[in-house]
Amino acid sequence: MAPAAPVTVAHLGPPPPTDRVRGWVVAVVLAVVAGVVRFTDLGRITDGGTPVFDEKHYVPQAWQMLRNGGVEDNPGFELIVHPPLGKQLIALGELMFGYDGFGWRAAAALAGTLSVLLIVRVGRRLTRSTLLGAIAGVLLICDGLSHVQSRMGMLDAFAALFVLAAFATLVRDRDDVRARMAVVVAQGRVGDTPFGPRWGWRWWRLATGVLLGLGCAVKWSGVYWLAAFAVLALVWDLGARRAAGVQRPWLGTIRRDLAPAVWALALVPVLAYLAGWWAWFGSETAIDRYEGAGPAFLPGALRALAFYSGEVLDFHSGLVSTPDNEHPWESKPWTWPMGLRPMLYYFSSGDQVTGCGTGDCVSAVMLVGTPALWWPAFGVLGFALWRVATRADWRHGAVLVGYGAGVLPWLVNIDRQMYFFYMTPVVPFLVLGTVLLMGEILGRADAPRERRQTGVLLVGLWVGLVVANFVWLWPILNGMPITQEMWDAQLWLPSWRARS
């Protein structure tokens, strides 16, 4: 039996691209484009000067925070059902620009802009290609769901930003660990212990824990990504030890990596989450602030927060669909991957709308994913599954974990009222999965010239179709005045229309 080939640095994966300056220039330019797209005419659509759709919950609560020490001041109805951080971010926009459409949406638009910057960087790191990173940015700019949610005074744009940022730092931590392991391999120290080396401080993983905790402080659904990314981090640690030829990688992962992972991806997120409640802890009048009915083993403030959180959980548990309690635009998770049931946030017609060239104009804002990006979703996910099953491709596996964390948990209780905007933090993973598939279509850099040209043509056509599709949808993503005929032409599927 031939001896096993010696482990080399190459086994730990390719290094990042070397065009650092160009990579940052591309990311910043696309972020500027995203900012222009997200902020243009941001405050125009309102309901007679008031918020639209679910903005009516969060925008007034954010305004209350500005005059009440950072907490909401309407405790009588227990209708404050999400943690405070997202509303505090909305409040910052209102503080800077005032209580109007621009002011209460400015923070969400900034979050949407920063998400584009992040996805360019993480896409580049996943693919080792500045071109594919740039394509990821273009696709996120041109996604209708991300666009609309970035222009609404709601919480989901912030949740998406923190989840994507956490994923970016987690991928960066993976590269950092493998770079450290490469040094150990190059120095011939892998065999010094059967468990492999210790890593020391992992600042990128610590940042991941903080970001995930802040994501939970926007919406509790952030806990799905917290659990998923914690498992993913340990799997990557195991993979690094195995790739480097550590004698006992499983035991090494348990002995060397498990306890630090619990600290960084369990305890730190809890601390970051609690930090989001700083104003509530410091308030004398916050909802249930001095309630003493919580678990007796907790200190007083945490006992009160636990009681309040239990009340909120009861509220969410009661949001079920029944024949006499059905939201006209709710949807179920199996419709989300292709965006089959969008949501109408705003609609106005008749004498109230002018500017379309006829006397029968329509102005509408619809939350709809760009079909050229969303409709191939099952093909993108299927390809990712195939790559994981046949080649153990960690990049596709990471995308599937991020995507699944945003969809699969909602299948547990299908009677609950659910909505398409829950997919906002999932969109970046759809984009990254699409970009990874596009990379395969492009082919390797050393592929035959005809193969590369064909790949460039196909990817160019796909990206161009997404951009053109976004431009087509622009009027109903931004409430532009259009004719009734144009409105009907925008509604491609029967499920895009209101239920009769």
Side-chain angles (χ1 to χ4, degrees), residues 259-483:
V262 170
W263 160 249
L265 298 175
L267 297 179
V268 168
V270 170
L271 296 176
Y273 172 78
L274 293 176
W277 290 86
W278 62 270
W280 187 90
F281 284 120
S283 174
E284 294 293 324
T285 59
I287 301 172
D288 293 331
R289 174 61 184 83
Y290 290 99
E291 174 60 54
F297 63 88
L298 293 175
L302 293 180
R303 186 163 63 247
L305 181 59
F307 174 83
Y308 175 34
S309 300
E311 296 296 297
V312 172
L313 183 60
D314 286 343
F315 172 86
H316 284 294
S317 300
L319 289 176
V320 296
S321 299
T322 61
D324 58 346
N325 183 32
E326 185 176 3
H327 192 283
W329 290 101
E330 68 173 297
S331 58
K332 298 304 179 185
W334 49 83
T335 70
W336 294 348
M338 292 179 63
L340 298 181
R341 183 60 177 164
M343 302 184 70
L344 187 63
Y345 279 179
Y346 172 83
F347 185 87
S348 183
S349 63
D351 297 338
Q352 302 177 43
V353 184
T354 60
C356 70
T358 71
D360 186 19
C361 298
V362 169
S363 174
V365 176
M366 175 166 275
L367 183 74
V368 56
T370 305
L373 175 64
W374 285 73
W375 288 2
F378 284 114
V380 170
L381 297 173
F383 179 77
L385 285 169
W386 178 77
R387 289 285 295 192
V388 171
T390 60
R391 302 192 184 184
D393 192 317
W394 72 271
R395 304 168 305 159
H396 290 276
V399 168
L400 287 173
V401 168
Y403 191 101
V407 177
L408 298 180
W410 298 105
L411 293 170
V412 174
N413 181 11
I414 62 174
D415 291 330
R416 190 189 187 279
Q417 287 185 3
M418 291 175 276
Y419 305 97
F420 185 45
F421 61 75
Y422 292 3
M423 285 290 281
T424 308
V426 179
V427 177
F429 299 101
L430 171 61
V431 168
L432 292 172
T434 302
V435 166
L436 288 172
L437 175 55
M438 287 181 173
E440 295 298 322
I441 295 172
L442 281 174
R444 298 177 59 88
D446 57 357
R449 182 167 177 268
E450 183 178 357
R451 166 70 178 82
R452 289 283 291 179
Q453 288 179 334
T454 302
V456 169
L457 175 62
L458 293 175
V459 170
L461 288 173
W462 192 353
V463 175
L465 184 60
V466 172
V467 174
N469 201 173
F470 179 69
V471 172
W472 168 263
L473 292 170
W474 182 267
I476 66 170
L477 300 176
N478 297 280
M480 305 298 293
I482 56 178
T483 64

Side-chain angles (χ1 to χ4, degrees), residues 97-116:
F97 303 109
Y99 191 74
D100 58 23
F102 187 92
W104 66 61
R105 294 169 184 154
L110 178 60
T113 301
L114 293 175
S115 293
V116 171

